[in-house]
C-alpha cells in the first residue's frame, strides 16, 4: 500500500484529534494488575492497540473493543511473552511490570532494535532488580525466577518513559512506599498514574519523583484516555508546512507548549482555548532551532516533521536530537526530494529547499507522517511506501488530511 501525495496549496477546516496511543498502551496493560473489569474510553483504533489487545488475550484476559471503548477482565493465565510480538511492538515490554507484580516471575522475549536505533531495557531491568527481582538472560529472553518484591527507592539514570511506566505499575502492587526519582513525566505517564489512582493506588508526583503507596489488591476502574499530543503536533506541523488555517478539536494545548512556542517563533499564528488550538500560517517561515528532550522539552516524536517544516525557512535551522540520537533514518529519503539537509553527529542542519516529488520509503511511524507532509509541499507527485508504519499510530490519518484539503490518496 502506498500514499500518493500531490502539491497542496493549503489546509483549511477542522480536525478532531483521537485518543493518545502512548497513553492507551500502558493503561490497557495496567489492567493486568487486577482481575476486576476495567472500562477504558477514547482508545484509538490503531494496529498497536489491536496488538496489545491480542497480547492481553494471550495472557488470559477477556477483552471487548467496540468503537473507541475497551472493556477488559479476567485472570492472568500465562506469563510467557513471545518474541514475534515483542519485536513487532516495543510497548509489549510494559507487560513485565504487571506480570512480575502479580506472579513474581515470568519469561519475556527481549525487544529488538528498530529504526530509532537500539532499544535497550537496562533501566527497566535494573529497577526490577532493585525491587528484589532476580533474572537471567538466555536465548534472547529475560527469565525472572520467583521472588517477593519489596518497596525501595530507585533513581533512573535517564527519565525513560517505558521504564517509569513499568516500575510504577510494579510498585502499585508492592505494599509499602516505593520512590522513583528522575522519572519521565510525559503526559502519557501521568495519564497512566491517574488510571492507577482510580484502581486504588496512592501516587504522589513531585517534580520528577513518583512516590507510590502500593497495596496487595487493586480494583477495576473506568477511565478516559487523554488526547494524542503527537497526532495533534503532526497536524499543527502539517498546517505550518503546507500553510492555511486549521482548528484542532479534542486537544490539550498545555501538552504541546514547547511545540507551540517554537511554531510562534517561526511566524505562525496560534490561538488556544480549553480543548482547541487554532493555527494559521500564511506568510514566510522564519528559521528556528530545536533540541529534543524529555517532557516538557520538544518531543522527539515530532522531530522529523519539524525538519520538513524548516525546509521552507529562509536561512539555516538546526535540529539536535537528544533522546534517540540515531533518529535520522528519514534524512536520506527527504534528500531524494531535493531537501538540503546535512547531518553532523546528532545535529541536522536544514536549509530552504525546493522539493520535487519522487518515491520514498517510510522507516518508522513518525517518519512516515513527515514524508507525507513533505509530499504535500513538493512539486509533482510523491509516493510513500511502507505505510504499515502509519496505521500503527494515526487513526484515520488520510481521511483527516483529505478533509482539510490535502491532495493525498492511497494506492493498493
Ligand atoms: C516512548 O518510548 C514512546 N513509545 C516513544 O514513541 C517516544 O519516542 C519515547 O517514549 C520518548 O518520548 C511509547 O510510549 C509506546 P524511552 P520508550 O524509554 O519508552 C533509552 C512513537 O512513535 N533507554 O523514554 O521506548 C532509549 O534507548 C514512539 O509513538 C535506555 O537506554 O522511550 C532512548 O534513547 C517512538 N534504557 C531513551 O532512553 C532503557 O532501559 C528514551 O527511551 C530504556 C530507554
Amino acid at each position: 500500500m502506498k500514499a500518493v501525495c500531490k502539491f497542496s496549496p493549503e489546509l483549511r477546516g477542522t480536525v478532531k484529534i483521537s485518543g493518545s496511543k502512548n497513553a492507551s498502551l500502558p493503561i490497557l496493560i495496567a489492567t493486568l494488575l487486577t482481575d476486576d473489569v476495567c472500562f477504558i474510553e477514547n482508545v484509538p483504533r490503531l494496529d498497536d492497540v489491536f496488538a496489545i489487545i491480542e497480547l492481553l488475550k494471550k495472557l488470559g484476559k477477556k477483552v471487548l473493543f467496540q468503537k473507541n471503548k475497551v472493556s477488559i477482565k479476567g485472570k492472568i493465565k500465562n506469563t510467557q511473552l513471545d518474541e514475534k510480538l515483542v519485536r513487532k511492538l516495543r510497548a509489549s515490554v510494559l507487560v513485565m511490570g504487571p506480570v512480575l507484580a502479580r506472579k513474581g516471575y515470568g519469561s519475556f522475549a527481549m525487544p529488538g532494535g528498530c529504526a530509532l536505533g537500539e532499544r535497550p531495557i537496562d533501566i527497566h531491568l535494573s529497577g526490577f532488580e532493585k525491587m528484589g527481582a532476580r533474572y537471567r538472560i538466555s536465548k534472547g529472553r529475560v527469565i525472572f525466577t520467583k521472588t517477593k518484591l519489596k518497596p525501595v527507592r530507585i533513581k533512573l539514570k535517564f527519565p525513560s518513559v517505558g521504564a517509569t511506566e513499568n516500575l510504577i505499575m510494579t510498585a502499585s502492587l508492592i505494599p509499602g512506599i516505593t520512590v522513583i526519582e528522575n522519572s519521565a513525566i510525559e503526559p502519557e505517564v501521568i495519564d497512566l498514574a491517574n488510571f492507577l489512582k482510580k484502581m486504588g493506588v496512592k501516587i504522589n508526583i513531585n517534580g520528577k519523583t513518583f512516590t507510590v503507596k502500593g497495596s496487595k489488591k487493586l480494583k477495576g476502574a473506568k477511565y478516559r484516555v487523554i488526547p494524542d499530543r503527537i497526532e495533534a503536533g503532526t497536524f499543527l506541523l502539517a498546517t505550518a508546512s503546507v500553510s492555511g488555517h486549521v482548528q484542532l478539536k479534542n486537544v490539550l494545548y498545555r501538552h504541546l507548549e514547547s511545540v507551540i512556542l517554537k511554531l510562534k517563533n517561526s511566524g505562525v499564528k496560534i490561538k488556544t482555548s480549553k480543548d482547541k488550538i487554532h493555527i494559521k500560517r500564511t506568510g514566510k517561515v522564519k528559521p528556528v532551532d530545536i533540541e529534543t528532550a524529555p517532557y516538557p522539552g520538544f518531543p522527539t516524536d515530532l522531530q522529523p516533521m519539524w525538519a520538513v517544516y524548516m525546509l521552507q525557512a529562509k536561512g539555516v535551522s538546526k535540529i539536535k536530537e537528544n533522546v534517540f540520537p540515531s533518529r535520522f533514518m528519514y534524512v536520506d529519503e527527504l534528500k531524494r526530494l531535493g531537501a538540503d539537509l546535512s547531518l553532523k553527529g546528532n545535529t541536522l542542519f536544514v536549509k530552504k529547499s525546493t522539493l520535487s516529488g519522487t518515491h520514498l520509503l517510510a522507516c518508522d511511524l513518525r517518519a512516515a507522517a513527515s514524508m507525507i507532509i513533505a509530499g504535500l509541499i513538493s512539486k509533482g507527485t510523491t509516493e510513500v511506501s511502507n505505510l504499515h508504519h502509519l496505521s500503527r499510530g494515526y487513526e484515520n490519518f488520510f481521511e483527516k488530511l483529505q478533509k482539510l484539503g490535502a491532495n493525498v490518496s492511497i494506492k493498493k
Side-chain angles (χ1 to χ4, degrees), residues 21-22 25 90-91 116 118-124 157-163 165 186 300-301 323-325 327 365-366:
K21 165 177 88 83
N22 289 350
L25 300 181
R90 155 108 186 159
L116 306 185
E118 54 144 355
R119 301 293 294 272
I121 56 169
D122 57 314
I123 303 174
H124 302 239
K157 73 172 184 182
F158 179 89
S160 153
V161 168
E165 291 169 341
E186 270 69 1
T300 174
D301 291 344
V323 178
F324 290 106
R327 184 172 208 159
L365 163 61
R366 309 302 174 184

